[in-house]
Amino acid sequence: MFKYTLHAHDFTAQAAHLSFEPASTGEVQTPAVDDAHNPTRVTVYTTTGAAAALRIAQRHLTLIHARRAYTDPDPVDRTAADIVYAQARSLAESLTPEQRKAESYNTIHGEDDALRLDALTDVMEERGELDT
């Protein structure tokens, strides 16, 4: 497993100046940004190389932007992904816990499905409905 660090500008991952190193044993391997409001670096983990790291980083930045647009819409320009996330989040909030659990088993087929599942997961996490 490698830990990749990429630069980001305007919530877009930049392939230039990409760096990587072996991930430390026991290190939490979830994507992370240095600043959720204006990320300049994103860290991701993968075994499949720089191209995969770039895709993972961009997906994570898209999610961070969508969450920010949902919680604090004034300072950001809304994107199509932001709208998908907001609609899915509103739907998830209107469901019962049992319906949310059933919905969480749906298969991800595309990027919009991944954002919808992220919105559902965010709601379930906030309400303490996720099994640990």
Side-chain angles (χ1 to χ4, degrees), residues 39-62:
T40 59
R41 281 189 326 268
V42 58
T43 303
V44 298
Y45 300 83
T46 184
T47 59
T48 55
L54 185 60
R55 284 190 305 274
I56 294 165
Q58 190 54 56
R59 183 184 180 291
H60 186 66
L61 289 168
T62 298

Side-chain angles (χ1 to χ4, degrees), residues 98-118:
E98 294 80 20
Q99 290 171 318
R100 281 191 289 274
K101 184 175 182 177
E103 190 70 21
S104 72
Y105 294 125
N106 288 339
T107 304
I108 296 175
H109 297 288
E111 186 65 27
D112 286 353
D113 291 338
L115 279 169
R116 289 182 185 103
L117 184 58
D118 287 328

Side-chain angles (χ1 to χ4, degrees), residues 66-67 69-72 83-101 103-104 115-129:
R67 284 176 175 157
Y70 183 80
T71 58
D72 191 14
I83 294 166
V84 168
Y85 179 88
Q87 290 173 337
R89 177 93 188 225
S90 294
L91 174 62
E93 289 171 344
S94 71
L95 299 174
T96 66
E98 294 80 20
Q99 290 171 318
R100 281 191 289 274
K101 184 175 182 177
E103 190 70 21
S104 72
L115 279 169
R116 289 182 185 103
L117 184 58
D118 287 328
L120 178 66
T121 302
D122 288 348
V123 170
M124 292 175 77
E125 187 174 291
E126 287 174 6
R127 296 178 184 206
E129 297 170 359

